[in-house]
Amino acid sequence: MKIAICQSEIKYLDFEYNIKYAQNAIYEAAQNNADCIVFPEMSFTGFSMDTCITSRYGNISVEMIKNYAQKSNITVGFGWVEMCEENLSKNHYSFITPNRSVILDYVKIHPFSYAKENLYFKGGTSLPNASLNNLNFQCMICYDLRFPELFRINVENIHAAFIPANWPDKRINHWNALLKARAIENQIYIIGVNCIGNQNGLTYSGESAVIAPDGSTVCCCKRKAGIYYADIDTANVIKARQNFPVLNDIRKELYKTL
């Protein structure tokens, strides 16, 4: 399966610019025979806690991506914001196929309370999974990467996890280390999709990456905007688990008692 990673330079709260950029990227990825293209967290607005603005584009984003996915015959993963009850919002990431179906819709489980994100966003309560070209996958968003417990849920049935993010440069060493750790400890592919550039006083340095089940780097996007490609093979997940069956020794029932 061929994945296209769009490490975009998101223009802060400039939906028209960002969605046009995405449209061109989707077309380019389809022309290069990618099966799926993925964008960073809050793909077409950048990360903002001004949810009155970002949520305005939520449903619009979903409908426009349905059209682009259908027209270009490619699955698209993208982030958007939904306004919900009590003036809180939900930070979504969805995958839409060429037949306009939403095969996965994930809401970020861990709002980043250190930055007061929890005052604006309501944490999700489910961890859906989906299948695309025989690749069984899950999705977590940005700060979720710091919570290894999530990745062990249903891990025996998962080949890959996508991690869309707006992860700042000042903590990029954590990003690089955690992507690799999550891949090694769960023996799955980890696809990290970060943005690049400056938004609202923060600098983002990219370094999106695809890490294989053995911890090796399949693709590293470094610090330049663009579309990068990686081949994902589920046979490598099976092989890694057969050669070094660490998951067989997980003691879930014991952990609950400790």
Side-chain angles (χ1 to χ4, degrees):
M1 178 175 170
K2 188 174 183 179
I3 302 287
I5 296 172
C6 186
Q7 182 167 277
S8 52
E9 182 174 355
I10 302 173
K11 303 298 183 184
Y12 187 64
L13 297 181
D14 190 341
F15 178 78
E16 288 74 17
Y17 172 88
N18 295 318
I19 197 71
K20 181 64 176 177
Y21 179 92
Q23 181 183 18
N24 292 334
I26 291 167
Y27 176 77
E28 180 179 329
Q31 289 296 106
N32 282 287
N33 299 314
D35 299 291
C36 176
I37 181 170
V38 286
F39 292 89
E41 176 187 16
M42 294 193 194
S43 309
F44 315 129
T45 60
F47 185 87
S48 174
M49 287 186 275
D50 192 343
T51 56
C52 289
I53 294 177
T54 56
S55 63
R56 186 184 307 162
Y57 302 110
N59 290 332
I60 296 172
S61 297
V62 173
E63 291 307 311
M64 293 182 77
I65 294 300
K66 284 181 179 180
N67 291 336
Y68 298 159
Q70 183 180 46
K71 184 175 181 180
S72 295
N73 194 35
I74 188 172
T75 296
V76 182
F78 66 104
W80 56 285
V81 174
E82 175 194 15
M83 184 67 79
C84 56
E85 69 276 7
E86 300 172 355
N87 293 321
L88 292 175
S89 295
K90 293 181 180 180
N91 184 350
H92 286 259
Y93 199 87
S94 302
F95 284 79
I96 293 179
T97 63
N99 67 2
R100 304 174 65 90
S101 296
V102 179
I103 59 169
L104 184 145
D105 180 41
Y106 170 74
V107 174
K108 186 177 182 181
I109 287 177
H110 300 99
F112 186 27
S113 61
Y114 179 76
K116 303 188 186 306
E117 190 177 320
N118 59 308
L119 301 181
Y120 301 89
F121 291 93
K122 181 178 181 179
T125 57
S126 65
L127 186 62
N129 59 73
S131 183
L132 183 65
N133 293 4
N134 296 318
L135 179 79
N136 298 329
F137 68 92
Q138 291 175 330
C139 175
M140 295 80 162
I141 297 175
C142 201
Y143 187 52
D144 287 331
L145 181 61
R146 294 183 179 273
F147 297 87
E149 300 88 348
L150 272 186
F151 292 79
R152 278 285 161 86
I153 298 171
N154 200 32
V155 65
E156 60 275 8
N157 298 314
I158 297 299
H159 302 120
F162 291 85
I163 318 294
N166 276 205
W167 195 288
D169 179 64
K170 60 185 176 181
R171 290 186 289 273
I172 200 65
N173 59 321
H174 294 186
W175 166 259
N176 291 328
L178 291 171
L179 289 178
K180 183 159 286 194
R182 298 294 91 86
I184 292 171
E185 66 198 8
N186 296 294
Q187 297 177 309
I188 59 175
Y189 282 98
I190 294 288
I191 302 100
V193 192
N194 198 19
C195 60
I196 200 162
N198 298 301
Q199 294 181 44
N200 197 30
L202 289 175
T203 299
Y204 299 92
S205 55
E207 301 205 25
S208 303
V210 177
I211 309 298
D214 63 358
S216 61
T217 300
V218 177
C219 172
C220 182
C221 306
K222 299 298 183 182
R223 294 174 174 244
K224 185 178 180 181
I227 303 174
Y228 300 80
Y229 298 91
D231 290 319
I232 305 295
D233 187 350
T234 58
N236 289 331
V237 177
I238 297 169
K239 181 179 179 180
R241 292 176 175 182
Q242 289 176 338
N243 290 346
F244 192 66
V246 63
L247 298 183
N248 291 347
D249 294 327
I250 294 174
R251 301 182 66 184
K252 290 184 180 181
E253 295 306 314
L254 174 63
Y255 302 157
K256 293 177 184 178
T257 70
L258 297 178

